[in-house]
Amino acid sequence: MPEAIYAEGLVKHFGDVRAVDGVDLDVPSGSVLGLLGPNGAGKTTVVRMLTTLLKPDSGHAKVAGIDVVEHPNEVRRSIGLSGQFAAVDDYLTGRENLQMVGQLYQLSGRDAKARAGVLLERFNLTDAADRPVKTYSGGMRRRLDLAAALIVQPPVLVMDEPTTGLDPRSRQALWAVIQELVRAGTTLLLTTQYLEEADHLAHDVCVIDHGRVIARGTSDQLKAQIGHDRVELVVHRRDDLVGAGAVLATHGRGEVTVEDHTRKLTVPATGGARLLADVIRDLDELGIAIDDIGLRRPTLDDVFISLTGHSAEASEKSRTEDQPAKENAK
């Protein structure tokens, strides 16, 4: 498939900080690329360059086949952008917000009104269409923001952490909308801190750290780099942690990890259900009661930890995402 987004050697400095250091990207038309990385890794700076909000210091990029530096206005007509925070006017109604965006895209008043009506229905906002947005819930504001990004039916959609702060139900509802758009042929570049989100939505995943791409592949391919499945075990009594650890060490393929406060032990392993049965038998022979046991596949969080040295959750707690870019934008 032709590439809807292509970037080669993108570099961006902010003073002495090399925020993006030679990033290459390619996103085939009609696919979803999940862009993952710790806060401050350069994800938002990459997004800003691809959407013409920042000029790269070197390298080049095309979106929808259009050079982002040479023809920025044409790029803007071909993309929809949903940022980390819903860019809607609290004092306008949902309908007025969408009509305003349509007219900013130079739609006629009639076309902007018609398009707003279609999107309000599509995003299940019809009942609230004529209420001020300041009365909307977080999920409704997010849906309205996404609707605004689609006002001109762009072939390429860029979403920068679109579900941050949403409750699980609102997040899943937004996922359903995104999947519908992709099935209809929209290309999506998605940055996210929720690894489950990338696992669920992305065809390919790109991990970026310190401004560089450090891994790229499907979710399954990246998980395969971690290696073995793992046995996770929760003992009923904390006093049995040592004995259970010895059993797992016998059957496992690596170091046993012990979390004393949760009474959980974990070890890399191979052997599937048969191995699990052997572990349970040995624990029973030692009289070690268990509250839970399971064979787990590697997750994208395991990949994230392996590649960057910490979890996405820890990254979220120390949130400093692209501060130089934000300061520059101010």
Short mmCIF file of all heavy atoms in Angstrom, two decimals, residues 224-291:
data_model
loop_
_atom_site.label_atom_id
_atom_site.label_comp_id
_atom_site.label_asym_id
_atom_site.label_seq_id
_atom_site.Cartn_x
_atom_site.Cartn_y
_atom_site.Cartn_z
N ALA A 224 7.53 -11.04 21.09
CA ALA A 224 8.40 -12.20 20.88
C ALA A 224 9.84 -11.90 21.24
O ALA A 224 10.61 -12.80 21.59
CB ALA A 224 8.30 -12.67 19.43
N GLN A 225 10.23 -10.60 21.16
CA GLN A 225 11.60 -10.23 21.52
C GLN A 225 11.87 -10.45 23.01
O GLN A 225 13.01 -10.65 23.42
CB GLN A 225 11.86 -8.77 21.18
CG GLN A 225 11.82 -8.45 19.71
CD GLN A 225 12.07 -6.97 19.45
OE1 GLN A 225 12.60 -6.25 20.30
NE2 GLN A 225 11.69 -6.50 18.27
N ILE A 226 10.81 -10.40 23.83
CA ILE A 226 10.97 -10.59 25.26
C ILE A 226 11.27 -12.04 25.59
O ILE A 226 11.94 -12.36 26.57
CB ILE A 226 9.69 -10.12 26.00
CG1 ILE A 226 9.40 -8.67 25.65
CG2 ILE A 226 9.83 -10.29 27.50
CD1 ILE A 226 10.49 -7.70 26.02
N GLY A 227 10.78 -12.94 24.72
CA GLY A 227 11.11 -14.36 24.92
C GLY A 227 9.97 -15.13 25.52
O GLY A 227 8.87 -15.15 25.01
N HIS A 228 10.23 -15.76 26.65
CA HIS A 228 9.33 -16.76 27.21
C HIS A 228 8.04 -16.19 27.77
O HIS A 228 7.95 -15.02 28.10
CB HIS A 228 10.05 -17.51 28.35
CG HIS A 228 11.33 -18.16 27.93
ND1 HIS A 228 11.38 -19.18 27.01
CD2 HIS A 228 12.61 -17.92 28.31
CE1 HIS A 228 12.64 -19.56 26.86
NE2 HIS A 228 13.41 -18.80 27.63
N ASP A 229 7.04 -17.08 27.85
CA ASP A 229 5.90 -16.80 28.71
C ASP A 229 6.40 -16.77 30.15
O ASP A 229 7.57 -17.04 30.42
CB ASP A 229 4.84 -17.89 28.56
CG ASP A 229 4.21 -17.90 27.18
OD1 ASP A 229 4.33 -16.90 26.47
OD2 ASP A 229 3.63 -18.94 26.82
N ARG A 230 5.50 -16.50 31.10
CA ARG A 230 5.93 -16.51 32.48
C ARG A 230 4.82 -17.11 33.35
O ARG A 230 3.63 -16.98 33.05
CB ARG A 230 6.27 -15.11 32.98
CG ARG A 230 5.11 -14.14 32.96
CD ARG A 230 5.59 -12.73 33.33
NE ARG A 230 4.49 -11.81 33.52
CZ ARG A 230 3.93 -11.11 32.54
NH1 ARG A 230 4.40 -11.24 31.31
NH2 ARG A 230 2.93 -10.29 32.79
N VAL A 231 5.25 -17.76 34.41
CA VAL A 231 4.33 -18.26 35.41
C VAL A 231 4.21 -17.21 36.50
O VAL A 231 5.22 -16.73 37.03
CB VAL A 231 4.82 -19.60 36.02
CG1 VAL A 231 3.92 -20.01 37.18
CG2 VAL A 231 4.84 -20.68 34.96
N GLU A 232 2.97 -16.85 36.82
CA GLU A 232 2.71 -15.92 37.93
C GLU A 232 1.93 -16.67 39.00
O GLU A 232 0.96 -17.36 38.70
CB GLU A 232 1.91 -14.71 37.45
CG GLU A 232 2.71 -13.78 36.55
CD GLU A 232 1.96 -12.51 36.19
OE1 GLU A 232 0.77 -12.40 36.59
OE2 GLU A 232 2.54 -11.65 35.53
N LEU A 233 2.37 -16.52 40.23
CA LEU A 233 1.83 -17.29 41.34
C LEU A 233 1.65 -16.39 42.54
O LEU A 233 2.54 -15.59 42.87
CB LEU A 233 2.81 -18.43 41.67
CG LEU A 233 2.64 -19.18 42.99
CD1 LEU A 233 1.37 -20.01 42.96
CD2 LEU A 233 3.86 -20.08 43.22
N VAL A 234 0.49 -16.48 43.19
CA VAL A 234 0.24 -15.75 44.43
C VAL A 234 0.00 -16.78 45.53
O VAL A 234 -0.94 -17.59 45.45
CB VAL A 234 -0.99 -14.83 44.32
CG1 VAL A 234 -1.24 -14.11 45.66
CG2 VAL A 234 -0.79 -13.80 43.21
N VAL A 235 0.88 -16.77 46.53
CA VAL A 235 0.73 -17.72 47.64
C VAL A 235 -0.25 -17.16 48.66
O VAL A 235 -0.43 -15.94 48.79
CB VAL A 235 2.08 -18.04 48.30
CG1 VAL A 235 3.02 -18.72 47.31
CG2 VAL A 235 2.72 -16.78 48.88
N HIS A 236 -0.86 -18.06 49.41
CA HIS A 236 -1.86 -17.63 50.40
C HIS A 236 -1.18 -17.05 51.65
O HIS A 236 -1.68 -16.11 52.25
CB HIS A 236 -2.73 -18.83 50.80
CG HIS A 236 -3.85 -18.47 51.73
ND1 HIS A 236 -4.91 -17.68 51.35
CD2 HIS A 236 -4.05 -18.77 53.05
CE1 HIS A 236 -5.73 -17.52 52.36
NE2 HIS A 236 -5.24 -18.17 53.42
N ARG A 237 -0.01 -17.63 52.02
CA ARG A 237 0.71 -17.18 53.23
C ARG A 237 2.08 -16.61 52.84
O ARG A 237 2.81 -17.25 52.07
CB ARG A 237 0.90 -18.34 54.21
CG ARG A 237 -0.42 -18.92 54.75
CD ARG A 237 -0.14 -20.07 55.73
NE ARG A 237 0.57 -21.17 55.06
CZ ARG A 237 -0.06 -22.18 54.44
NH1 ARG A 237 -1.39 -22.24 54.43
NH2 ARG A 237 0.63 -23.14 53.86
N ARG A 238 2.39 -15.47 53.36
CA ARG A 238 3.68 -14.84 53.05
C ARG A 238 4.85 -15.74 53.46
O ARG A 238 5.91 -15.74 52.82
CB ARG A 238 3.77 -13.48 53.75
CG ARG A 238 4.99 -12.67 53.37
CD ARG A 238 4.91 -11.24 53.86
NE ARG A 238 4.04 -10.44 53.00
CZ ARG A 238 2.82 -10.07 53.30
NH1 ARG A 238 2.29 -10.43 54.46
NH2 ARG A 238 2.10 -9.34 52.48
N ASP A 239 4.67 -16.57 54.50
CA ASP A 239 5.73 -17.46 54.95
C ASP A 239 6.11 -18.49 53.89
O ASP A 239 7.18 -19.11 53.98
CB ASP A 239 5.31 -18.20 56.23
CG ASP A 239 5.20 -17.26 57.43
OD1 ASP A 239 5.73 -16.13 57.33
OD2 ASP A 239 4.59 -17.65 58.44
N ASP A 240 5.27 -18.71 52.90
CA ASP A 240 5.54 -19.71 51.87
C ASP A 240 6.26 -19.14 50.65
O ASP A 240 6.49 -19.87 49.68
CB ASP A 240 4.23 -20.36 51.40
CG ASP A 240 3.66 -21.33 52.44
OD1 ASP A 240 4.47 -21.95 53.16
OD2 ASP A 240 2.43 -21.46 52.51
N LEU A 241 6.63 -17.87 50.70
CA LEU A 241 7.28 -17.27 49.54
C LEU A 241 8.60 -17.97 49.20
O LEU A 241 8.90 -18.22 48.03
CB LEU A 241 7.55 -15.77 49.79
CG LEU A 241 6.34 -14.84 49.66
CD1 LEU A 241 6.69 -13.44 50.15
CD2 LEU A 241 5.86 -14.78 48.21
N VAL A 242 9.39 -18.31 50.22
CA VAL A 242 10.67 -18.96 49.96
C VAL A 242 10.49 -20.33 49.33
O VAL A 242 11.13 -20.68 48.32
CB VAL A 242 11.49 -19.07 51.26
CG1 VAL A 242 12.77 -19.88 51.02
CG2 VAL A 242 11.85 -17.67 51.78
N GLY A 243 9.59 -21.13 49.90
CA GLY A 243 9.35 -22.45 49.36
C GLY A 243 8.79 -22.42 47.95
O GLY A 243 9.22 -23.19 47.07
N ALA A 244 7.84 -21.51 47.70
CA ALA A 244 7.28 -21.40 46.36
C ALA A 244 8.32 -20.91 45.37
O ALA A 244 8.37 -21.35 44.21
CB ALA A 244 6.09 -20.44 46.39
N GLY A 245 9.20 -20.00 45.82
CA GLY A 245 10.27 -19.52 44.95
C GLY A 245 11.20 -20.65 44.52
O GLY A 245 11.65 -20.70 43.38
N ALA A 246 11.48 -21.58 45.44
CA ALA A 246 12.33 -22.72 45.10
C ALA A 246 11.67 -23.61 44.05
O ALA A 246 12.34 -24.10 43.12
CB ALA A 246 12.64 -23.53 46.36
N VAL A 247 10.35 -23.79 44.16
CA VAL A 247 9.64 -24.59 43.17
C VAL A 247 9.70 -23.93 41.79
O VAL A 247 9.99 -24.58 40.78
CB VAL A 247 8.17 -24.80 43.60
CG1 VAL A 247 7.36 -25.45 42.47
CG2 VAL A 247 8.10 -25.65 44.86
N LEU A 248 9.44 -22.62 41.75
CA LEU A 248 9.48 -21.91 40.46
C LEU A 248 10.88 -21.89 39.87
O LEU A 248 11.05 -21.99 38.65
CB LEU A 248 8.97 -20.48 40.64
CG LEU A 248 7.48 -20.31 40.93
CD1 LEU A 248 7.10 -18.83 40.91
CD2 LEU A 248 6.63 -21.07 39.92
N ALA A 249 11.88 -21.79 40.72
CA ALA A 249 13.26 -21.81 40.23
C ALA A 249 13.58 -23.14 39.55
O ALA A 249 14.33 -23.19 38.57
CB ALA A 249 14.23 -21.55 41.37
N THR A 250 13.01 -24.21 40.07
CA THR A 250 13.23 -25.54 39.48
C THR A 250 12.61 -25.65 38.10
O THR A 250 13.19 -26.24 37.18
CB THR A 250 12.63 -26.63 40.40
OG1 THR A 250 13.26 -26.56 41.67
CG2 THR A 250 12.82 -28.02 39.80
N HIS A 251 11.45 -25.08 37.92
CA HIS A 251 10.72 -25.23 36.66
C HIS A 251 10.91 -24.08 35.69
O HIS A 251 10.58 -24.22 34.50
CB HIS A 251 9.22 -25.37 36.96
CG HIS A 251 8.85 -26.62 37.69
ND1 HIS A 251 8.78 -27.85 37.08
CD2 HIS A 251 8.54 -26.83 38.99
CE1 HIS A 251 8.42 -28.77 37.96
NE2 HIS A 251 8.28 -28.17 39.15
N GLY A 252 11.41 -22.95 36.17
CA GLY A 252 11.49 -21.77 35.32
C GLY A 252 12.73 -21.73 34.44
O GLY A 252 13.58 -22.61 34.47
N ARG A 253 12.82 -20.63 33.68
CA ARG A 253 13.91 -20.43 32.74
C ARG A 253 14.68 -19.15 33.03
O ARG A 253 15.29 -18.56 32.15
CB ARG A 253 13.36 -20.33 31.31
CG ARG A 253 12.72 -21.61 30.82
CD ARG A 253 13.75 -22.56 30.29
NE ARG A 253 13.17 -23.78 29.78
CZ ARG A 253 13.85 -24.71 29.11
NH1 ARG A 253 15.15 -24.53 28.91
NH2 ARG A 253 13.26 -25.80 28.69
N GLY A 254 14.65 -18.74 34.27
CA GLY A 254 15.35 -17.51 34.61
C GLY A 254 15.14 -17.17 36.06
O GLY A 254 14.72 -18.00 36.87
N GLU A 255 15.41 -15.91 36.41
CA GLU A 255 15.34 -15.45 37.79
C GLU A 255 13.89 -15.35 38.26
O GLU A 255 13.01 -14.89 37.53
CB GLU A 255 16.01 -14.08 37.91
CG GLU A 255 16.05 -13.53 39.32
CD GLU A 255 16.74 -12.18 39.37
OE1 GLU A 255 17.28 -11.75 38.34
OE2 GLU A 255 16.71 -11.56 40.45
N VAL A 256 13.65 -15.77 39.48
CA VAL A 256 12.33 -15.65 40.08
C VAL A 256 12.20 -14.25 40.71
O VAL A 256 13.06 -13.83 41.48
CB VAL A 256 12.10 -16.73 41.17
CG1 VAL A 256 10.72 -16.54 41.82
CG2 VAL A 256 12.24 -18.12 40.57
N THR A 257 11.15 -13.55 40.32
CA THR A 257 10.87 -12.23 40.88
C THR A 257 9.83 -12.36 41.97
O THR A 257 8.81 -13.03 41.79
CB THR A 257 10.34 -11.28 39.79
OG1 THR A 257 11.31 -11.18 38.74
CG2 THR A 257 10.07 -9.90 40.36
N VAL A 258 10.10 -11.74 43.14
CA VAL A 258 9.20 -11.86 44.29
C VAL A 258 8.72 -10.46 44.68
O VAL A 258 9.52 -9.55 44.86
CB VAL A 258 9.91 -12.51 45.49
CG1 VAL A 258 8.95 -12.61 46.68
CG2 VAL A 258 10.45 -13.89 45.11
N GLU A 259 7.39 -10.32 44.80
CA GLU A 259 6.79 -9.09 45.31
C GLU A 259 6.21 -9.42 46.69
O GLU A 259 5.13 -10.00 46.80
CB GLU A 259 5.70 -8.58 44.38
CG GLU A 259 6.21 -8.19 43.00
CD GLU A 259 5.09 -7.71 42.08
OE1 GLU A 259 3.96 -7.52 42.58
OE2 GLU A 259 5.36 -7.55 40.89
N ASP A 260 6.93 -9.05 47.72
CA ASP A 260 6.56 -9.46 49.07
C ASP A 260 5.20 -8.92 49.49
O ASP A 260 4.39 -9.63 50.10
CB ASP A 260 7.64 -8.97 50.06
CG ASP A 260 7.38 -9.47 51.47
OD1 ASP A 260 7.65 -10.66 51.73
OD2 ASP A 260 6.91 -8.66 52.30
N HIS A 261 4.89 -7.67 49.13
CA HIS A 261 3.65 -7.05 49.62
C HIS A 261 2.41 -7.65 48.97
O HIS A 261 1.33 -7.63 49.55
CB HIS A 261 3.69 -5.53 49.38
CG HIS A 261 3.75 -5.14 47.95
ND1 HIS A 261 4.85 -5.36 47.16
CD2 HIS A 261 2.82 -4.54 47.14
CE1 HIS A 261 4.62 -4.90 45.95
NE2 HIS A 261 3.41 -4.41 45.91
N THR A 262 2.54 -8.21 47.76
CA THR A 262 1.39 -8.85 47.11
C THR A 262 1.46 -10.38 47.18
O THR A 262 0.55 -11.05 46.71
CB THR A 262 1.30 -8.43 45.63
OG1 THR A 262 2.51 -8.84 44.95
CG2 THR A 262 1.12 -6.93 45.50
N ARG A 263 2.56 -10.90 47.73
CA ARG A 263 2.79 -12.36 47.82
C ARG A 263 2.84 -13.00 46.44
O ARG A 263 2.47 -14.15 46.26
CB ARG A 263 1.72 -13.04 48.69
CG ARG A 263 1.53 -12.43 50.07
CD ARG A 263 0.57 -13.24 50.95
NE ARG A 263 -0.68 -13.56 50.27
CZ ARG A 263 -1.70 -12.72 50.12
NH1 ARG A 263 -1.61 -11.49 50.63
NH2 ARG A 263 -2.81 -13.09 49.51
N LYS A 264 3.30 -12.24 45.44
CA LYS A 264 3.32 -12.75 44.06
C LYS A 264 4.74 -13.09 43.63
O LYS A 264 5.69 -12.35 43.91
CB LYS A 264 2.73 -11.73 43.09
CG LYS A 264 2.64 -12.25 41.66
CD LYS A 264 1.83 -11.31 40.77
CE LYS A 264 2.64 -10.13 40.30
NZ LYS A 264 1.92 -9.34 39.28
N LEU A 265 4.89 -14.21 42.96
CA LEU A 265 6.17 -14.64 42.40
C LEU A 265 5.99 -14.82 40.89
O LEU A 265 4.95 -15.27 40.42
CB LEU A 265 6.63 -15.97 43.01
CG LEU A 265 6.78 -16.02 44.53
CD1 LEU A 265 5.51 -16.60 45.16
CD2 LEU A 265 7.99 -16.87 44.94
N THR A 266 7.03 -14.49 40.14
CA THR A 266 6.99 -14.58 38.69
C THR A 266 8.30 -15.16 38.18
O THR A 266 9.37 -14.81 38.69
CB THR A 266 6.78 -13.19 38.06
OG1 THR A 266 5.61 -12.59 38.63
CG2 THR A 266 6.60 -13.28 36.56
N VAL A 267 8.22 -16.05 37.16
CA VAL A 267 9.41 -16.61 36.57
C VAL A 267 9.17 -16.85 35.08
O VAL A 267 8.09 -17.29 34.69
CB VAL A 267 9.83 -17.93 37.26
CG1 VAL A 267 8.84 -19.04 36.99
CG2 VAL A 267 11.25 -18.34 36.86
N PRO A 268 10.15 -16.53 34.20
CA PRO A 268 10.02 -16.89 32.79
C PRO A 268 9.96 -18.42 32.66
O PRO A 268 10.63 -19.13 33.42
CB PRO A 268 11.29 -16.34 32.15
CG PRO A 268 11.79 -15.31 33.11
CD PRO A 268 11.39 -15.78 34.47
N ALA A 269 9.18 -18.92 31.72
CA ALA A 269 9.00 -20.37 31.64
C ALA A 269 8.56 -20.77 30.24
O ALA A 269 8.03 -19.98 29.47
CB ALA A 269 7.96 -20.82 32.66
N THR A 270 8.79 -22.03 29.93
CA THR A 270 8.25 -22.66 28.73
C THR A 270 7.63 -23.99 29.15
O THR A 270 7.98 -24.55 30.19
CB THR A 270 9.36 -22.93 27.69
OG1 THR A 270 10.38 -23.75 28.27
CG2 THR A 270 9.97 -21.64 27.17
N GLY A 271 6.71 -24.47 28.34
CA GLY A 271 6.11 -25.76 28.67
C GLY A 271 4.61 -25.74 28.75
O GLY A 271 3.96 -26.79 28.83
N GLY A 272 4.00 -24.54 28.75
CA GLY A 272 2.56 -24.42 28.68
C GLY A 272 1.83 -25.05 29.85
O GLY A 272 2.29 -25.02 31.00
N ALA A 273 0.67 -25.64 29.55
CA ALA A 273 -0.21 -26.17 30.59
C ALA A 273 0.44 -27.30 31.37
O ALA A 273 0.21 -27.45 32.58
CB ALA A 273 -1.52 -26.65 29.97
N ARG A 274 1.26 -28.10 30.71
CA ARG A 274 1.93 -29.21 31.41
C ARG A 274 2.84 -28.67 32.51
O ARG A 274 2.88 -29.20 33.62
CB ARG A 274 2.73 -30.05 30.42
CG ARG A 274 3.50 -31.18 31.09
CD ARG A 274 4.22 -32.04 30.08
NE ARG A 274 3.27 -32.78 29.25
CZ ARG A 274 3.64 -33.64 28.27
NH1 ARG A 274 4.93 -33.81 28.02
NH2 ARG A 274 2.74 -34.27 27.58
N LEU A 275 3.58 -27.62 32.20
CA LEU A 275 4.45 -27.01 33.22
C LEU A 275 3.62 -26.51 34.39
O LEU A 275 4.00 -26.71 35.56
CB LEU A 275 5.24 -25.85 32.60
CG LEU A 275 6.01 -24.97 33.60
CD1 LEU A 275 7.18 -25.74 34.18
CD2 LEU A 275 6.48 -23.69 32.94
N LEU A 276 2.50 -25.87 34.09
CA LEU A 276 1.65 -25.34 35.14
C LEU A 276 1.17 -26.47 36.06
O LEU A 276 1.16 -26.32 37.29
CB LEU A 276 0.46 -24.62 34.51
CG LEU A 276 -0.10 -23.41 35.25
CD1 LEU A 276 0.97 -22.37 35.51
CD2 LEU A 276 -1.24 -22.80 34.43
N ALA A 277 0.80 -27.60 35.48
CA ALA A 277 0.35 -28.75 36.26
C ALA A 277 1.47 -29.27 37.16
O ALA A 277 1.24 -29.64 38.33
CB ALA A 277 -0.14 -29.86 35.34
N ASP A 278 2.71 -29.28 36.63
CA ASP A 278 3.85 -29.75 37.43
C ASP A 278 4.11 -28.83 38.62
O ASP A 278 4.41 -29.28 39.74
CB ASP A 278 5.11 -29.83 36.56
CG ASP A 278 5.03 -30.95 35.52
OD1 ASP A 278 4.18 -31.85 35.69
OD2 ASP A 278 5.80 -30.89 34.54
N VAL A 279 4.01 -27.52 38.38
CA VAL A 279 4.22 -26.55 39.47
C VAL A 279 3.16 -26.73 40.56
O VAL A 279 3.48 -26.77 41.76
CB VAL A 279 4.19 -25.10 38.92
CG1 VAL A 279 4.18 -24.09 40.08
CG2 VAL A 279 5.39 -24.85 38.01
N ILE A 280 1.92 -26.87 40.15
CA ILE A 280 0.82 -27.04 41.12
C ILE A 280 1.03 -28.32 41.93
O ILE A 280 0.84 -28.34 43.16
CB ILE A 280 -0.54 -27.06 40.39
CG1 ILE A 280 -0.83 -25.67 39.80
CG2 ILE A 280 -1.66 -27.48 41.34
CD1 ILE A 280 -2.03 -25.63 38.88
N ARG A 281 1.44 -29.38 41.27
CA ARG A 281 1.67 -30.66 41.97
C ARG A 281 2.77 -30.50 43.02
O ARG A 281 2.62 -30.94 44.17
CB ARG A 281 2.07 -31.73 40.96
CG ARG A 281 2.25 -33.13 41.57
CD ARG A 281 3.03 -34.04 40.66
NE ARG A 281 4.39 -33.56 40.47
CZ ARG A 281 4.95 -33.35 39.27
NH1 ARG A 281 4.28 -33.61 38.17
NH2 ARG A 281 6.19 -32.91 39.20
N ASP A 282 3.88 -29.86 42.65
CA ASP A 282 4.99 -29.71 43.59
C ASP A 282 4.62 -28.80 44.76
O ASP A 282 5.03 -29.04 45.91
CB ASP A 282 6.22 -29.14 42.86
CG ASP A 282 6.85 -30.16 41.92
OD1 ASP A 282 6.39 -31.33 41.90
OD2 ASP A 282 7.79 -29.79 41.19
N LEU A 283 3.86 -27.77 44.49
CA LEU A 283 3.41 -26.89 45.57
C LEU A 283 2.49 -27.65 46.52
O LEU A 283 2.58 -27.50 47.75
CB LEU A 283 2.66 -25.68 44.99
CG LEU A 283 3.51 -24.66 44.21
CD1 LEU A 283 2.60 -23.66 43.51
CD2 LEU A 283 4.48 -23.93 45.13
N ASP A 284 1.63 -28.48 45.96
CA ASP A 284 0.70 -29.26 46.79
C ASP A 284 1.45 -30.23 47.69
O ASP A 284 1.11 -30.42 48.86
CB ASP A 284 -0.29 -29.99 45.89
CG ASP A 284 -1.39 -30.67 46.69
OD1 ASP A 284 -2.09 -29.97 47.43
OD2 ASP A 284 -1.53 -31.90 46.56
N GLU A 285 2.50 -30.86 47.14
CA GLU A 285 3.29 -31.81 47.92
C GLU A 285 3.97 -31.13 49.10
O GLU A 285 4.20 -31.76 50.15
CB GLU A 285 4.33 -32.49 47.03
CG GLU A 285 3.71 -33.49 46.04
CD GLU A 285 4.76 -34.10 45.12
OE1 GLU A 285 5.95 -33.69 45.21
OE2 GLU A 285 4.41 -34.99 44.31
N LEU A 286 4.30 -29.84 48.93
CA LEU A 286 4.94 -29.09 50.02
C LEU A 286 3.91 -28.43 50.95
O LEU A 286 4.30 -27.78 51.92
CB LEU A 286 5.85 -28.01 49.43
CG LEU A 286 7.10 -28.51 48.69
CD1 LEU A 286 7.81 -27.35 48.01
CD2 LEU A 286 8.04 -29.23 49.65
N GLY A 287 2.64 -28.61 50.64
CA GLY A 287 1.60 -28.01 51.48
C GLY A 287 1.50 -26.51 51.34
O GLY A 287 1.05 -25.82 52.26
N ILE A 288 1.89 -25.98 50.17
CA ILE A 288 1.84 -24.54 49.94
C ILE A 288 0.51 -24.18 49.28
O ILE A 288 0.24 -24.59 48.15
CB ILE A 288 3.03 -24.08 49.07
CG1 ILE A 288 4.35 -24.34 49.79
CG2 ILE A 288 2.89 -22.60 48.71
CD1 ILE A 288 5.58 -24.03 48.97
N ALA A 289 -0.32 -23.44 50.01
CA ALA A 289 -1.61 -23.01 49.46
C ALA A 289 -1.42 -21.79 48.58
O ALA A 289 -0.60 -20.90 48.86
CB ALA A 289 -2.57 -22.68 50.61
N ILE A 290 -2.20 -21.74 47.48
CA ILE A 290 -2.07 -20.63 46.54
C ILE A 290 -3.43 -19.96 46.35
O ILE A 290 -4.48 -20.59 46.42
CB ILE A 290 -1.52 -21.10 45.18
CG1 ILE A 290 -2.43 -22.15 44.54
CG2 ILE A 290 -0.10 -21.61 45.33
CD1 ILE A 290 -1.98 -22.56 43.14
N ASP A 291 -3.38 -18.66 46.12
CA ASP A 291 -4.60 -17.89 45.83
C ASP A 291 -4.82 -17.75 44.33
O ASP A 291 -5.96 -17.61 43.87
CB ASP A 291 -4.51 -16.49 46.45
CG ASP A 291 -4.64 -16.53 47.96
OD1 ASP A 291 -5.12 -17.55 48.50
OD2 ASP A 291 -4.24 -15.53 48.61
#
